[in-house]
Amino acid sequence: AVLYRTNSQSRALEESLRRAGLDAKIVGGVGFYERREVKDALSYARAALNPADDVSWRRVLNRPKRGIGKTSEENLAAWAARQRVPFSEAVRRAEEVVGGTAAGTRLVAFAAMMQDLSEAADSLSAGQFLAHLLDATGMIKALREENSFEAQGRIENLEELASAVEEWEATEGGSIQTFLDEAALMASVDDRAVAAMNEGEVPQDAVTLMTLHNAKGLEFPVVFLVGLEENLLPHRSSTTSTKGVEEERRLLYV
């Protein structure tokens, strides 16, 4: 088993094990590229690059929430279907489709943001583009305002995604589109791994990946503890008080 403090740390482990041809199973979580916030960020990138990608455009339309409801989305989709144009075209012509409504004003702002992302994808490197995307879409800002333990975990996953793109750019090079193609392949591997685990097809000697919280009460013949460094363990959210650090110490030793 490989144990870590936060779920965001699993990404490097998943990819390294995959490259080494070793089976792995994630306990108490899903594969990195299957996590909601990671899929949202990658969907934004795909939508910016491809105006015909209706699935990605509809996924990010109201993520984070910006007051564009299901009814508005359905009206846009119905108009696009009648006109036989992509969903993105309905968004760009929102004033014509749902003009005079509060959602219409928000859709105009959303269309402008997506146009900015499209232009940024052509002019910025993959790492710079993702950093710009996370800022422009307000994804991290919305999670910070949520101010919950779960939101903090989602922020860490997005930060890890940014690290993944930077690492990939430094070693492999290429455009954000090439990275998206790689991420799609990795996500499909995650899908197959989850399906195999649900069917009980994961080998008994597969490497188990899990957080320290999920490991309580379990035993393994070989255990690796990773990320034992300041701001990971003890976690940065716990270092502001002596009590918090003591709880982190107990978590480690249990």
Side-chain angles (χ1 to χ4, degrees):
V2 184
L3 311 182
Y4 37 81
R5 176 62 177 81
T6 67
N7 277 311
S8 62
Q9 292 168 262
S10 75
R11 194 271 309 174
L13 296 165
E14 291 175 57
E15 293 182 10
S16 296
L17 290 167
R18 189 177 294 131
R19 284 194 296 269
L22 296 173
D23 293 311
K25 59 181 178 180
I26 300 175
V27 175
V30 296
F32 181 78
Y33 290 97
E34 284 299 295
R35 292 169 191 169
R36 187 182 76 185
E37 59 281 0
V38 174
K39 292 177 77 171
D40 285 350
L42 296 181
S43 291
Y44 265 114
R46 291 191 184 97
L49 289 165
N50 184 4
D53 188 342
D54 286 4
V55 173
S56 293
W57 274 82
R58 294 185 70 165
R59 180 181 178 91
V60 301
L61 187 65
N62 198 38
R63 293 190 182 184
K65 291 183 178 179
R66 51 175 61 90
I68 302 172
K70 198 70 178 173
T71 300
S72 296
E73 179 188 343
E74 290 170 353
N75 288 339
L76 291 167
W79 185 90
R82 287 195 301 271
Q83 302 297 321
R84 297 184 179 180
V85 296
F87 183 82
S88 61
E89 182 63 20
V91 172
R92 293 192 184 97
R93 296 170 66 176
E95 289 182 312
E96 177 184 340
V97 182
V98 291
T101 67
T105 303
R106 297 180 185 117
L107 281 162
V108 170
F110 175 75
M113 180 191 70
M114 293 306 299
Q115 180 61 32
D116 169 68
L117 289 180
S118 180
E119 293 169 2
D122 290 333
S123 60
L124 301 178
S125 69
Q128 291 171 332
F129 171 70
L130 187 69
H132 177 66
L133 183 155
L134 293 176
D135 179 56
T137 60
M139 290 182 68
I140 288 182
K141 179 175 180 288
L143 288 167
R144 285 187 178 136
E145 289 173 354
E146 188 179 319
N147 194 29
S148 67
F149 180 79
E150 181 183 350
Q152 179 58 43
R154 296 189 186 283
I155 290 172
E156 289 169 0
N157 283 330
L158 290 173
E159 291 172 343
E160 183 60 25
L161 176 62
S163 296
V165 173
E166 289 174 1
E167 287 174 19
W168 175 83
E169 191 172 29
T171 57
E172 305 292 333
S175 65
I176 188 64
Q177 179 63 66
T178 310
F179 177 83
L180 291 174
D181 293 341
E182 292 279 333
L185 288 173
M186 288 183 276
S188 69
V189 171
D190 287 343
D191 279 342
R192 290 196 297 273
V194 170
M197 194 156 53
N198 290 337
E199 295 295 325
E201 296 174 2
V202 177
Q204 289 296 311
D205 60 352
V207 179
T208 299
L209 305 177
M210 68 172 81
T211 64
L212 291 170
H213 284 97
N214 283 322
K216 287 183 178 180
L218 300 179
E219 294 183 4
F220 299 91
V222 179
V223 176
F224 294 88
L225 293 171
V226 300
L228 303 190
E229 56 190 75
E230 200 75 19
N231 294 325
L232 279 177
L233 189 64
H235 191 266
R236 62 187 176 190
S237 65
S238 306
T239 55
T240 55
S241 69
T242 301
K243 183 178 179 182
V245 174
E246 288 175 349
E247 184 57 37
E248 293 286 288
R249 185 184 299 119
R250 278 192 291 272
L251 174 63
L252 170 65
Y253 283 103
V254 166

